[in-house]
Amino acid sequence: MEPRSGWWCLVWLLFVGCAHAPRSGEPDTPKFEHVFQKPLEEALAVTRELLANRGMTFEQTEDPHQLLTTWEVRDSMRTANNTYTRYLVTGIAVGPRQSVVRVFKSTFQSSGNDASRGDHWWKILWERAEMDIQSPAQFQTGLQRAMPRRGGPIELRNALKGTRDLDLEKELTLRLESGPSLEVVSGNVKEDPRPPAPVRDSDFYLTRWKEDGVKEGPCAETMRGLHELLAPGLTLLVGEQLGSREAPAVVGELVCQVAELGLPVALGVSIPRKEQERLDRYLASPGAPADQDALLEGRFWHRPYQDGRSSRAILDLIDRVRAMRFAGLAVSLVAYDTDLKGGSERDQAQADLWNRRRQALKDEVQVVLAGNTHTRTVAGTPWDKAFTPMAHLLKASRLVVLEMSYAQGTRWGCDLDRAGKIQCGFVGATPSGRVAARPGLSPHITLFEAPTPEGTHGLLYVGELSPSLPAISPHKEAPPPTNIRPPRPMRDDKPPMF
């Protein structure tokens, strides 16, 4: 099992500071509601942790879908001029695994007249307590003795300002949606009896087999930045977030353009080696519906936890390699993964396969699509210091690692819930740092002046992510979230929290 971003970067994960434009004079009102691909209870639990880490405490609320912090005061020490802050969090359950979280920050300014306190000797005592301080505990004791006993803070009845805290909502999004992909290795799990082969509708099947030999060429326009990389013997690793439609599609186009230039190319996909024979039979077939059914009979496509490596986009990528070969391009498909090992042993087995292949085929261009934890060229990860990734073990004279750059969207993947159980479904995908990009650009490659601390040499931009369901699913696309209620307008009188 590959540790996640999930995860508690979270998914939602997730999403994982985002770059933003300078603030304008417009109110801090979001132009759309972001839907987390998380149950509401889980999203609120992460929100509570985020606020608690900032030192906030909470009041009891009648609505379980709301969080309300106590007033936090920034004392001016010598006067009654203080700033009070509190947060109100409201959650909306859009679906069983979809939710909206809104974070409102309220501030209150108080001003006071020292003369109204009637006793100025406390200032002298306060200063004496400060001069006599030996420890924080002693200062607190001296402060309590110096302060006059006049009850609690002043009444909070002046003007109140409340706005959506978009910066905190962005931080929450990164926690939920910017974690690494979770991969589930279950080769030793006893397989339940499989039901009879399903009778699939005609629109389930890929239709590229009908078009073979009709198009003038299988490749699109040249990808920017690709030619600067190409050379015989290149090993190109692409680290992705699993379960998107875009990453396999862009990598397929990259492979096509390399092969169209006359270079032999091997495409590596994270599928167990035991499926290689079945893949080879499919690549030699016409790719008709019966051939697709035979390919999908492999155990890999029916695993109990579909983590994105067996998506419809991967099936389409395999079919595209078949079409490239039909068009006369020198493309091989390599299933390089294993479902019998985990952790560093799994990555060692992956690297061994590629090292043997490189020794036998020194001029072949190898393009390997893998989860972004496997493509790190340095040993160790923030969650496992002893982990040794595949890229670190490769013996390639020319090795280039590209990290997937993308715009915010969703994907299909597996995550751990609050109880530590695996849940697979739609996952939010919010990029952060160098991989964050805006949507609408054409796929391209950008190289860095120097490798990153993780050993990444550049970025492969794929666009806004959308989920690719498991290949055996009868549905091709996910329905959009519905029933999102707009925010309630603020009334002229005090909010309910008062």
Side-chain angles (χ1 to χ4, degrees), residues 382-498:
W383 54 86
D384 185 357
K385 301 301 182 182
F387 178 71
T388 305
M390 172 183 66
H392 181 72
L393 300 168
L394 290 179
K395 300 175 182 178
S397 58
R398 176 157 174 72
L399 175 66
V400 177
V401 178
L402 299 180
E403 194 171 2
M404 188 177 76
S405 173
Y406 58 101
Q408 186 182 49
T410 54
R411 59 185 179 88
W412 177 278
C414 295
D415 189 12
L416 295 177
D417 61 16
R418 303 291 295 182
K421 296 181 179 179
I422 298 177
Q423 300 287 336
C424 299
F426 300 114
V427 179
T430 298
S432 65
R434 60 179 178 266
V435 304
R438 61 186 179 89
L441 304 176
S442 60
H444 61 273
I445 295 172
T446 303
L447 295 179
F448 303 140
E449 294 182 0
T452 67
E454 298 80 18
T456 302
H457 301 95
L459 300 173
L460 174 63
Y461 172 81
V462 301
E464 179 181 352
L465 297 191
S466 58
S468 180
L469 277 65
I472 61 173
S473 171
H475 307 290
K476 294 183 179 180
E477 297 183 2
T482 57
N483 302 326
I484 302 179
R485 301 194 302 270
R488 291 179 296 178
M490 292 290 289
R491 304 179 315 212
D492 294 336
D493 58 349
K494 296 180 179 64
M497 71 180 79
F498 291 93

Side-chain angles (χ1 to χ4, degrees), residues 60-210:
Q60 293 291 334
T61 58
E62 295 182 2
D63 188 347
H65 296 166
Q66 285 189 338
L67 300 175
L68 180 63
T69 69
T70 56
W71 285 105
E72 189 77 12
V73 59
R74 186 172 69 245
D75 202 328
S76 60
M77 300 298 290
R78 300 302 178 90
T79 72
N81 301 322
N82 300 322
T83 300
Y84 297 83
T85 303
R86 86 185 316 176
Y87 289 91
L88 171 66
V89 179
T90 61
I92 300 173
V94 181
R97 285 182 55 84
Q98 293 176 322
S99 58
V100 170
V101 176
R102 299 167 179 156
V103 181
F104 298 90
K105 179 180 181 181
S106 299
T107 59
F108 174 83
Q109 302 283 344
S110 68
S111 59
N113 184 353
D114 289 346
S116 66
R117 308 183 76 142
D119 187 353
H120 302 286
W121 286 102
W122 68 272
K123 292 185 177 181
I124 300 175
L125 296 175
W126 190 328
E127 293 173 353
R128 187 173 66 186
E130 290 179 329
M131 289 186 292
D132 294 340
I133 181 174
Q134 298 296 327
S135 67
Q138 290 181 354
F139 177 72
Q140 283 295 110
T141 302
L143 184 61
Q144 293 173 0
R145 292 175 179 174
M147 288 293 292
R149 300 183 181 277
R150 296 184 179 275
I154 62 173
E155 294 185 22
L156 306 180
R157 295 184 180 275
N158 285 335
L160 181 73
K161 178 183 179 182
T163 58
R164 289 282 289 272
D165 192 329
L166 301 187
D167 290 335
L168 196 144
E169 289 187 10
K170 289 178 182 178
E171 186 175 348
L172 173 64
T173 302
L174 291 176
R175 286 204 177 195
L176 289 172
E177 300 187 345
S178 63
S181 301
L182 182 68
E183 298 179 8
V184 182
V185 180
S186 56
N188 291 323
V189 177
K190 183 178 180 181
E191 187 176 5
D192 295 331
R194 189 177 301 175
V199 177
R200 299 181 170 114
D201 295 335
S202 59
D203 60 355
F204 167 86
Y205 297 99
L206 303 173
T207 59
R208 192 176 284 110
W209 64 281
K210 298 180 181 180

Side-chain angles (χ1 to χ4, degrees), residues 237-307:
L237 303 185
V238 179
E240 66 158 336
Q241 289 275 7
L242 302 176
S244 76
R245 292 191 293 180
E246 288 69 27
V250 172
V251 169
E253 182 58 38
L254 185 153
V255 168
C256 187
Q257 294 184 19
V258 173
E260 203 170 41
L261 293 173
L263 295 173
V265 56
L267 170 62
V269 289
S270 185
I271 295 177
R273 301 175 202 176
K274 62 176 64 176
E275 299 285 336
Q276 186 67 58
E277 183 178 351
R278 196 182 299 270
L279 289 171
D280 292 340
R281 287 200 301 267
Y282 183 77
L283 295 178
S285 74
D291 304 314
Q292 297 178 39
D293 285 335
L295 174 63
L296 294 177
E297 276 298 303
R299 184 181 186 276
F300 172 73
W301 307 97
H302 296 267
R303 293 169 300 143
Y305 299 107
Q306 297 286 316
D307 54 19

